[in-house]
Amino acid sequence: MPIQTLAVLQTEFTIHSFTPETQPDASIFTQDIYFIGKTSDELSVVVPSELKLNSLDSETGWRCLEVMGPLNFSLTGILSGIAGVLASADISIFAISTFDTDYILVKQDCLSKAVEVLEKNDYKVNQLVES
């Protein structure tokens, strides 16, 4: 499989945690990019950090690497390969997948190192793409 191209989004993100019964705030849906995941145990919301939400807990300072897609469902190991490269450099990730592609969030203070190790492992990383 060919090595993927990733794009660094300009936006800083915050990951929020809510109870599973929480109804998502309508302001979430006006954002250019957002992610919502719900299980029987929790509701997680990822939004640009400018949007302030009244959540149970939150983690600020995340930056996003978008795997340039769309990716065909028959492709395997894309997220695993990227996660493995970053794990070998002790960089934690928060991964999100959509129908078309994958998004890897890393802490702002690890972004430069993440780009560096990805490029050393033959990934192409386009800097600062508008989200």
Side-chain angles (χ1 to χ4, degrees), residues 18-29 34-38 43-45 47 53:
F18 299 91
T19 65
E21 299 80 26
T22 302
Q23 291 298 312
D25 189 286
S27 62
I28 294 168
F29 303 106
Y34 62 88
F35 303 96
I36 298 175
K38 183 180 184 292
L43 173 70
S44 293
V45 176
V47 292
L53 299 175

Side-chain angles (χ1 to χ4, degrees), residues 103-122:
Y103 296 84
I104 298 90
L105 282 74
V106 299
K107 292 297 280 189
Q108 171 68 43
D109 60 354
C110 295
L111 181 62
S112 294
K113 183 178 177 185
V115 169
E116 179 182 320
V117 298
L118 287 165
E119 289 177 338
K120 282 184 181 176
N121 283 272
D122 298 322

Side-chain angles (χ1 to χ4, degrees), residues 53-72:
L53 299 175
N54 188 19
S55 54
L56 295 173
D57 199 4
S58 64
E59 180 78 22
T60 61
W62 291 89
R63 294 295 302 278
C64 185
L65 297 158
E66 176 184 356
V67 180
M68 302 309 293
L71 305 175
N72 188 302

